Amino acid sequence: MPVLPEFIRLSWQRPGLDPPQRSTALAMLSPAELSRAELTRAGSVSVIQGRMLLRTLAGELLGLDPRAVPLSATCADCGGPHGQPRIPGLTVSLSHCATAVVAVATAEGHIGVDVEPLEGSAERAAAIAEVAGAGGIRRWTSVEAVLKCDGRGLRVDPREVAVTEGSAALGDGQYQLWYPELADDLQVTVAWRA
Ligand SMILES: CC(C)(COP(=O)(O)OP(=O)(O)OC[C@H]1O[C@@H](n2cnc3c(N)ncnc32)[C@H](O)[C@@H]1OP(=O)(O)O)[C@@H](O)C(=O)NCCC(=O)NCCS
Ligand SMILES: [Zn+2]
């Protein structure tokens, strides 16, 4: 069971939509989201699913139909539709990996989420240690969740994030961390700051 405070809502799925689910999901998406999903090809199911989960979650919190949720994700660098997702009245975050799609939302403070598979090659572990320092996959999902909560993502050097069990700091920002256990094969960190 996910262990999260009540003011944080999480929704997740394994990647994959059958044709009726895909039609339902596509009908929720904005033109910008549809073009983003087309551009990403291999990852398009996860992109579609992520937006579907996020729109459904936000719709429940805001009392809106998922299609009517005013979700934008404008990139701060180029203006493209692949930046931090924003919905007035909430803060939200999304993450996808090969085996999961996770969305979180809250009406209080700022939020970020990251999911990664627990298993991986030695090369992957070495690459993660290179950018995040020692500490393994939990440390890496914590760093990414904080960077997504911050909103700059990997424009910030991941080594600037100081992580301890249950909390993190980046510049003046203090973050609380949670590790909801969604499945045995996944590491998830949710980062939140007031
Ligand atoms: C945010 C970032 C760390 C996520 O990378 P990742 O771990 O490979 O991917 P995840 O699946 O965990 O997260 C992807 C989601 O993060 C969200 N996201 C993208 N940019 C974000 C940002 N700056 N802050 C918070 N969330 C962001 C999006 O919702 C995206 O999913 P979507 O495009 O399907 O909506 C990475 O994309 C990044 O650092 N982006 C900023 C730098 C950049 O891309 N600049 C673009 C220049 S054109
Ligand atoms: Zn961009």
Side-chain angles (χ1 to χ4, degrees):
M1 276 296 288
V3 181
L4 280 173
E6 272 187 7
F7 63 89
I8 295 176
R9 297 281 307 277
L10 179 151
S11 174
W12 79 285
Q13 288 182 351
R14 297 293 185 182
L17 296 168
D18 64 25
Q21 290 169 327
R22 191 178 167 89
S23 304
T24 305
L26 287 174
M28 286 182 197
L29 268 53
S30 69
E33 288 172 321
L34 290 169
S35 73
R36 163 115 177 94
E38 272 166 27
L39 284 175
T40 55
R41 292 178 188 219
S44 70
V45 170
S46 293
V47 172
I48 293 166
Q49 233 173 325
R51 296 305 175 86
M52 177 192 78
L53 289 178
L54 196 51
R55 284 181 170 278
T56 304
L57 197 55
E60 284 167 21
L61 290 170
L62 297 171
L64 290 174
D65 185 281
R67 280 169 294 193
V69 169
L71 169 57
S72 63
T74 308
C75 171
D77 285 341
C78 74
H82 49 251
Q84 181 177 29
R86 290 175 196 273
I87 297 171
L90 299 175
T91 66
V92 297
S93 186
L94 260 185
S95 183
H96 15 69
C97 66
T99 50
V101 185
V102 183
V104 292
T106 183
E108 296 174 37
H110 301 267
I111 200 153
V113 68
D114 195 57
V115 60
E116 297 284 347
L118 273 170
E119 297 299 322
S121 65
E123 289 81 16
R124 178 166 170 266
I128 287 171
E130 172 85 25
V131 282
I137 202 75
R138 179 182 280 213
R139 185 181 173 86
W140 179 239
T141 56
S142 300
V143 167
E144 283 231 314
V146 166
L147 292 176
K148 287 159 86 175
C149 187
D150 172 88
R152 288 173 290 173
L154 290 168
R155 296 177 185 95
V156 176
D157 185 338
R159 287 167 298 192
E160 287 183 30
V161 182
V163 181
T164 50
E165 185 70 11
S167 65
L170 171 63
D172 293 337
Q174 297 293 327
Y175 296 80
Q176 271 182 267
L177 306 178
W178 293 274
Y179 317 100
E181 291 175 13
L182 306 182
D184 287 349
D185 61 319
L186 298 174
Q187 177 69 58
V188 179
T189 301
V190 175
W192 179 86
R193 78 179 148 84

